[in-house]
Amino acid sequence: MSTVVVVGTQWGDEGKGKITDYLAESADVVARYQGGNNAGHTILIDGKKYKLSLIPSGVFYKEKTCVIGNGMVINPEALIQEINYIHENGFDTKNLVISDRAHVIMPYHMLLDALEEDRKGPNKIGTTRKGIGPAYMDKAARNGIRIADLMDAEEFELRLRPLMEEKNQVITQVYGAEPLDVEEILVKYLEYAEVLRGYVTDTSVVLNDAIDNGESKVLFEGAQGVMLDIDQGTYPFVTSSNPSAGGVCIGSGVGPSKIKQVIGVAKAYTTRVGDGPFPTELNDATGDYIRETGHEYGTVTGRARRVGWFDSVVVRHARRVSGITGLSLNSLDVLSGLETVKICTGYKFRGEIITHYPASLKMLAECEAVYEELPGWSEDITSAKTLADLPENTRRYVERVSELTGIPISIFSVGRNREQTNQVLPIYI
């Protein structure tokens, strides 16, 4: 049995797409298990950038099955656009499968997302306004529409009409906005259904058959990161699903006994998009340098990412709640040129040092990051292939990250290209 999960250990944008793409070369199946088109990943192949939001990174390899799992929420229009984008760039989607149990993002989800963010004003969560949260809300309230429902025109209409009546009441009476046209949505979404129909199946069967045959290698990838997990992250400044490794089982229909390895992905520093606590944030020239050198702008939104030093408290939390067995440390090259680099080792709270990540936002607001300072490096490291190729100061930084997080380094990356990704320890895929 060969199954590997790739999870973000920070607030997303750690380079999971590239690591998934790197590992996918050896995989037979690549599966997404949560999230929607609110997060994207950029992959650089032969000097060209490709951006995806819904379809697993493995789509760039021929003969690999790509799974959109039941834990995802799908905007059919966005998915069809992404399929067309892949075709236009010379790749195919013949091995793409979509779970019939995944939930559908409807126009009222996107509208309500935006209206609620506007209503909250300065207290907004900072969502991408893609309808993700409202879709997961309806799923939990048992008011959702699944892909299976969308595939049945009669069932879809029976579910849509009363839901639209209810949603339009909220849209008009609570927010004072214009109602949506149910007839227009009905026609449009049934057209989407016909485009997607050939991809839809029970993906739990596909995944379990692949694992149980003893020959296939299965790779699971999530969106966002552990600190945006609705249960384990910086609530309420989180996403609406479970990016942590435990989300794989629920979001793909694969039992926990079938997961062999969990690779956590981290940048050599920390970033996040949107509001919420960020103890190591840099609002100075160093932060600006890292942001510009690392091109830290959101794949989907284009928003400038907040930047800070590497936080070992955050990554230890991710290790604990996701059972991480190996760390992929990305973007080491971005720190080149800094005279000194820092790693957060703990937080000072009311005169005491704490080494775990607090649940309380009030407590976090009082926490001050405690740093260990190391000498930086000025050498160009973008051609390094082994840890031994790295300058002494870079190597010491990598070793210290591993020591402080308690996770062995499995992969390190010194650039955005697939060729600049280097494996250190065995990954069974």
Side-chain angles (χ1 to χ4, degrees), residues 3-62:
T3 49
V4 175
V5 180
V6 175
V7 296
T9 62
Q10 298 160 316
W11 280 277
D13 307 311
E14 302 95 345
K16 295 181 302 300
K18 186 180 78 162
I19 299 306
T20 303
D21 175 65
Y22 173 78
L23 295 175
E25 189 170 7
S26 303
D28 300 297
V29 182
V30 185
R32 271 278 306 274
Y33 58 90
Q34 51 76 224
N37 63 319
N38 57 329
H41 44 256
T42 302
I43 297 164
L44 200 59
I45 303 174
D46 297 329
K48 184 174 181 179
K49 287 182 182 178
Y50 298 95
K51 297 183 178 182
L52 299 176
S53 294
L54 287 163
I55 297 174
S57 312
V59 73
F60 296 115
Y61 292 93
K62 292 181 179 179

Side-chain angles (χ1 to χ4, degrees), residues 124-145:
K124 67 183 186 301
I125 297 297
T127 78
T128 55
R129 301 178 180 231
K130 302 283 186 180
I132 310 299
Y136 277 114
M137 286 169 62
D138 274 359
K139 177 179 178 177
R142 290 157 291 186
N143 279 330
I145 293 175

Side-chain angles (χ1 to χ4, degrees), residues 170-220:
V170 175
I171 289 165
T172 58
Q173 296 175 21
V174 175
Y175 295 102
E178 291 297 313
L180 295 172
D181 186 333
V182 65
E183 304 300 336
E184 180 183 330
I185 291 171
L186 182 63
V187 170
K188 185 184 296 184
Y189 270 66
L190 288 177
E191 289 175 355
Y192 296 154
E194 292 312 307
V195 176
L196 297 175
R197 187 175 301 281
Y199 298 103
V200 176
T201 189
D202 187 333
T203 55
S204 174
V205 173
V206 173
L207 287 166
N208 280 278
D209 283 352
I211 294 169
D212 293 343
N213 71 21
E215 297 177 2
S216 298
K217 298 175 180 179
V218 181
L219 182 66
F220 296 92

Side-chain angles (χ1 to χ4, degrees), residues 78-89:
L79 178 54
I80 291 167
Q81 287 173 354
E82 198 161 298
I83 289 170
N84 291 337
Y85 166 79
I86 289 166
H87 294 168
E88 289 162 7
N89 279 281

Side-chain angles (χ1 to χ4, degrees), residues 281-414:
E281 186 168 13
L282 291 167
N283 293 304
D284 58 11
T286 301
D288 292 340
Y289 173 84
I290 294 173
R291 182 180 299 107
E292 295 307 314
T293 306
H295 309 290
E296 294 297 349
Y297 296 89
T299 301
V300 171
T301 63
R303 290 184 291 182
R305 294 175 183 142
R306 299 159 66 190
V307 173
W309 293 119
F310 186 90
D311 191 334
S312 67
V313 181
V314 162
V315 180
R316 282 197 300 271
H317 175 80
R319 180 203 69 201
R320 184 173 60 251
V321 302
S322 273
I324 292 169
T325 57
L327 187 66
S328 173
L329 190 62
N330 292 347
S331 304
L332 273 167
D333 55 300
V334 175
L335 297 183
S336 294
L338 293 173
E339 187 174 337
T340 59
V341 289
K342 296 180 181 181
I343 301 174
C344 174
T345 58
Y347 305 147
K348 183 180 287 185
F349 176 70
R350 297 181 182 177
E352 294 186 8
I353 302 298
I354 60 173
T355 56
H356 67 280
Y357 201 93
S360 167
L361 297 188
K362 184 178 179 182
M363 184 176 176
L364 272 168
E366 291 187 50
C367 286
E368 178 186 346
V370 177
Y371 292 109
E372 183 175 308
E373 192 166 325
L374 288 82
W377 58 92
S378 57
E379 296 92 335
D380 181 353
I381 64 171
T382 56
S383 298
K385 294 296 181 186
T386 68
L387 289 174
D389 293 338
L390 296 173
E392 182 181 350
N393 287 350
T394 316
R395 205 161 53 244
R396 179 57 187 143
Y397 183 80
V398 173
E399 290 169 355
R400 194 64 182 130
V401 165
S402 180
E403 290 165 1
L404 287 169
T405 60
I407 312 172
I409 302 296
S410 293
I411 298 172
F412 74 94
S413 177
V414 291

